[in-house]
Structure formats: C-alpha cells, structure tokens
Amino acid sequence: MTPGEPLVRWDWIFSHLGDVGQRLGEHLLLTGIAIGIGFVLSLCLAQLVRSWSWLYGPITWITGVLYTIPSLALFAFLIPITGLSRLTAEIGLVSYTLLIMTRNIVAGLQAVPADVRESAIGMGYTDRQLLWRIEMPLALPVILAGVRVATTTTIGLTTVTALIGQGGLGYFILEGILRFFSTPLLVGAFLSIALAVAVDSALVLYQRLVTPWAR
Amino acid sequence: MHSTGFLGLNGPRAPDPMTFAAAVLAWIADPAHWVGFDGIPTRVGEHLTMSVTALALSLAIALPVGLALGHTGKGGAVAINIANVGRALPSLALIALALPVAFGLGLGLGFWPTMFALVPLGLPPIITNTYVALRSIDPDLIEAARGMGMREWDLLRRVEIPVAAPVIIAGVRNAAVAIVATATLGAIVASGGLGRYIVDGLARQDQARLFVGAVLVALLAIGAELALALFERLVVPVGIRHAARAPDTWSAPR
C-alpha cells in the first residue's frame, strides 16, 4: 500500500512459511472444534425436536437470533465473562453453526419415508436402532449439506477471532492492516478463502463416498 | 492480552458481575458518552448511514441484474452460484481486500474501504433470491398475463415483481443483516460506526465500552432483520403471503 511497493512480496511469504503453517493449523483447529461441538449440540437439539416437535419453533427462533448477531459483537459480549480466550472464540463459533445444522438434521430425519420407518419397526428395530441404522444414514445427504454450509461459514468467521488474540489466518489480515503491508493481508484473505473451498470440496468427496446410493 | 492453556481457561479473570454491571450502567449514564463525535447517537448514525448507503448501492446493482436474469431465464448457474461464492467470502477478508483498492484509488481509510467491502457483500443474496423468485413463478400465470396482452415490461412490473416480492425481500433482508454486521468490522480500517466502541474497547481494555458496543450492534442487526420482516408484511398482498416461501439461500453469519 506504500507507493512503489509491489502488492505481493514473495520474499516475505517464503521467509514466513513457518508462520503461515502455524496460523493455518490454528485456523483448522478453531474451526474443527467449533464444527465438532456444534454438530453434537445440533444432534441433541434435533433429538429434542424428534421427541417434542413443538420445540422446533423456539429452537429455530433462539438459534436464529444467535445467527443474526454480528460475530465481533458476540465475541465482545462474551469477553467480560470468559475473557480473551479460546473459550470465547469457540462459544461464538459454535453458536453460529447451530441454526443450519439443527435445521438440516431435522429436515433430513423428517424426509425419511414413513413406510421405511414402518418396515424397520415391523422388523423389530428398537427406537435407537431405527435412528442410527435407518434414519440417520438416509438423512445423511441433507445433514452433510448442512455441515458443508456450517463449515464454510465457520472458516470465514474464524478470521475474526484474531481480533480477540486467538490467531488463525485473520492474524495476517490484521497484521497487514496495522502495518499497512498488503502482502500478509492478501495471504490471510486468500488462504481463508482457499481453505473454505478446499474443505468444502473434501466434504463433497466424503459425501459421495459415504452415500453411494444418492449419486 | 494472550491467554494460555487449553480453551484459554487460564486467561484473564472475569470481573465480578455486580461491579461490571455497575461499570456498564455508569458508562451509559455518563453524559459525555451521549454527545460529540464519539457519542452514542453519532456512532449509531454513522453505522446506519454506512449500512443504508451500502444497501442502496447493492440494491441498485443487484436488483436490475437479478430481474434481467430471472425474467429471461438466462445465466441461471451464475445467479445461483454467486450466493455460494458470497457465503465463502469472509467479511474480514473482504475488508482487507478493499483496503488496497481504496488506497490505490486514493480514497484513504475509513468510509470507502468499508463501502468497497459492504456493497459486494450485499449483491449475492439479492441477485440469487431475485433470480430464484422469478424463475419459480407458476408458468401458467405468465402465460395468462401474456394472453391478456401484457408486454415484457408490464409483465415484469405488474405480475412477476409482485409475486416474487416475498423472496426478493428475504434476499434484501439477508443482505441488510450481513451489511450491518460487517459495518462493525469497518472500525478496524478506521471507519466510524458502533464497531469503534468494540475495537477501541479492546485496545483500551475498557470492558464497559466493549460491552455497550456489542449490545448496540446486536440490537441494530436484529432491528434490521425485524424492520425488513415488517416491510415484507406491509408490501406483500395477503393472498400470496404463503404462496412463496424464501428458498434455502442461506447467507453466512458475519
């Protein structure tokens, strides 16, 4: 951004490959924990809806409000309680995954044909077996579609956690802004987008492998 | 500032809730925080100005494009995929990318880099929803309108837009929420708005300022969502309110 300075200084990138690897690792870890915890919580919420369908309204309402709150505001809101910590980052990131994943798990389970369910019950499947052996596998394409959206958006949001000192690729973006140095800025922006595309492609591949009947 | 330990549980200790609540109330009650360039009314005004300007520019670009694509049925793959691309673009990265652009054009820090990030952010949900809304109109309806002698423009203005309105407005709603949220991040590139309280609160370790900023931003985002929901109720005729529900064109949290 300084006149005369090239937009990308490749020598900076090559001398900071270690940093890039570290920040990439942090980014993946922050995202992975959020998706993991978010998925388990969404499964629990979907189970609640499966047992008590009237809960669907309140659950989508609450997770919808969480979804609407800007990430920087949510992190800032949590700082007085949980400090500038990874816990703050993860509470924020997890709360953004709940709406999409819960809705997709519920929609996937509801789309299982009634006669399939009836056949399974007729064959003596218990409620738990019915869920894990019949309903979940059949709902898998819809569930994975939700996981894909949640993962892509979480990778983007994780860049913001750099503002509360949690590293990740947002660290380079902030460094670039604070030092008026376009190279780290572009490295951070480019890598976070590339990471989202790469992880999404990997999930598509995974989906094709585990749901051969849906091809 | 940096915490250590897994999940940062050894991080800075939380303040005592009562002391903290008192500090927040004192911050709000301080008359100095209600006047001047850093006062709450100014910051709310700046945030709204940035958001409304960006949304208006997004609409001015996205609506004609979406209507043209939807009416002609051309460019469907582009219109639908643009939402996926938009979702994958992190707000912070957009702001970061807008900074060199604004500098290259000699527009400096603050308002313009934020605008360059906010306007592209608003485009995908509006284009995609407008396209999908127009394409999902019952073909019989279009045929009937043509049979009545409507030309292209009348068809668009008197049939397609009113019927597609709920889904188009849902797209505008997604765009508005994303813009209000990302305008907060503009504070990092020295723009005004409520993000200032959060960024400055972080820098000065002033938790009351930080907290008030967070609450105001959250209220503004939820307010934008509710205002457009109300707008939808006002402009959409009762007869078609349930005919078209918004498709699952998720916009990302920002």
Side-chain angles (χ1 to χ4, degrees):
Chain A
M1 281 176 280
T2 323
E5 172 110 342
L7 207 56
V8 178
R9 265 183 46 198
W10 293 97
D11 59 315
W12 185 92
I13 298 178
F14 287 118
S15 62
H16 287 77
L17 282 180
D19 281 352
V20 172
Q22 183 204 336
R23 299 301 174 191
L24 205 59
E26 287 170 354
H27 206 98
L28 276 172
L29 184 66
L30 282 162
T31 306
I33 294 175
I35 295 296
I37 297 176
F39 186 72
V40 172
L41 280 179
S42 301
L43 265 182
C44 298
L45 290 175
Q47 288 315 304
L48 287 177
V49 173
R50 193 166 171 260
S51 310
W52 298 285
S53 60
W54 59 268
L55 277 173
Y56 188 59
I59 287 176
T60 41
W61 189 83
I62 294 167
T63 52
V65 169
L66 282 173
Y67 195 83
T68 307
I69 296 175
S71 55
L72 188 55
L74 189 54
F75 293 137
F77 191 79
L78 290 166
I79 285 169
I81 306 159
T82 47
L84 289 166
S85 63
R86 187 174 290 174
L87 184 63
T88 303
E90 292 297 354
I91 293 174
L93 293 176
V94 166
S95 66
Y96 289 117
T97 66
L98 298 179
L99 176 66
I100 299 169
M101 292 209 281
T102 307
R103 277 184 66 151
N104 275 45
I105 295 172
V106 169
L109 292 178
Q110 279 174 351
V112 174
D115 46 356
V116 170
R117 203 173 282 140
E118 233 166 90
S119 315
I121 295 168
M123 285 170 73
Y125 277 73
T126 63
D127 197 45
R128 180 174 299 194
Q129 286 172 326
L130 175 68
L131 175 70
W132 289 106
R133 294 208 199 152
I134 308 289
E135 291 181 324
M136 284 296 281
L138 285 175
L140 209 54
V142 183
I143 294 176
L144 283 175
V147 173
R148 278 177 59 197
V149 175
T151 308
T152 316
T153 59
T154 304
I155 289 174
L157 284 171
T158 301
T159 54
V160 180
T161 61
L163 276 163
I164 55 169
Q166 294 309 305
L169 293 166
Y171 176 85
F172 290 125
I173 299 179
L174 280 186
E175 195 190 357
I177 292 171
L178 296 176
R179 288 174 47 195
F180 267 65
F181 182 19
S182 57
T183 305
L185 195 141
L186 293 172
V187 166
F190 173 78
L191 282 182
S192 64
I193 296 167
L195 190 64
V197 173
V199 173
D200 194 50
S201 310
L203 283 170
V204 172
L205 210 65
Y206 174 75
Q207 184 176 342
R208 287 178 63 90
L209 283 175
V210 295
T211 58
W213 64 88
R215 266 178 226 163
Chain B
M1 289 276 281
H2 292 263
S3 57
T4 50
F6 183 68
L7 288 176
L9 289 176
N10 314 328
R13 286 184 61 84
D16 167 54
M18 289 313 289
T19 326
F20 181 64
V24 168
L25 287 177
W27 197 93
I28 297 171
D30 186 346
H33 294 142
W34 288 90
V35 291
F37 74 94
D38 200 28
I40 292 172
T42 314
R43 293 305 186 198
V44 171
E46 284 170 344
H47 208 106
L48 285 174
T49 309
M50 279 194 291
S51 306
V52 171
T53 312
L55 188 62
L57 289 172
S58 293
L59 269 172
I61 301 168
L63 208 52
V65 172
L67 289 174
L69 294 177
H71 180 77
T72 59
K74 285 176 184 144
V78 177
I80 288 170
N81 279 318
I82 197 172
N84 294 329
V85 175
R87 204 159 49 203
L89 279 179
S91 287
L92 192 63
L94 266 174
I95 295 236
L97 294 172
L99 196 59
V101 176
F103 257 78
L105 296 171
L107 294 167
L109 280 168
F111 184 81
W112 285 107
T114 311
M115 251 340 110
F116 284 143
L118 296 185
V119 175
L121 196 65
L123 302 177
I126 302 176
I127 294 179
T128 304
N129 271 40
T130 308
Y131 176 84
V132 171
L134 256 57
R135 283 288 92 196
S136 55
I137 294 173
D138 185 352
D140 289 349
L141 202 61
I142 310 270
E143 210 173 308
R146 285 197 198 279
M148 287 168 70
M150 281 193 195
R151 300 283 174 84
E152 300 300 317
W153 178 246
D154 281 327
L155 179 67
L156 189 64
R157 197 170 55 91
R158 295 172 61 188
V159 179
E160 288 179 321
I161 292 178
V163 174
V167 179
I168 297 177
I169 295 171
V172 177
R173 210 159 99 178
N174 284 345
V177 172
I179 284 173
V180 168
T182 303
T184 318
L185 289 172
I188 302 165
V189 291
S191 79
L194 290 166
R196 279 259 63 86
Y197 290 146
I198 298 179
V199 170
D200 295 344
L202 275 171
R204 301 182 203 169
Q205 305 215 10
D206 179 350
Q207 294 202 341
R209 178 181 295 263
L210 185 77
F211 190 82
V212 173
V215 171
L216 288 174
V217 169
L219 288 178
L220 208 60
I222 294 168
E225 167 108 30
L226 291 179
L228 278 156
L230 188 71
F231 178 72
E232 182 189 329
R233 284 195 74 87
L234 290 175
V235 299
V236 175
V238 180
I240 60 164
R241 193 161 288 166
H242 299 290
R245 267 324 326 161
D248 261 5
T249 48
W250 293 107
S251 85
R254 294 291 167 179

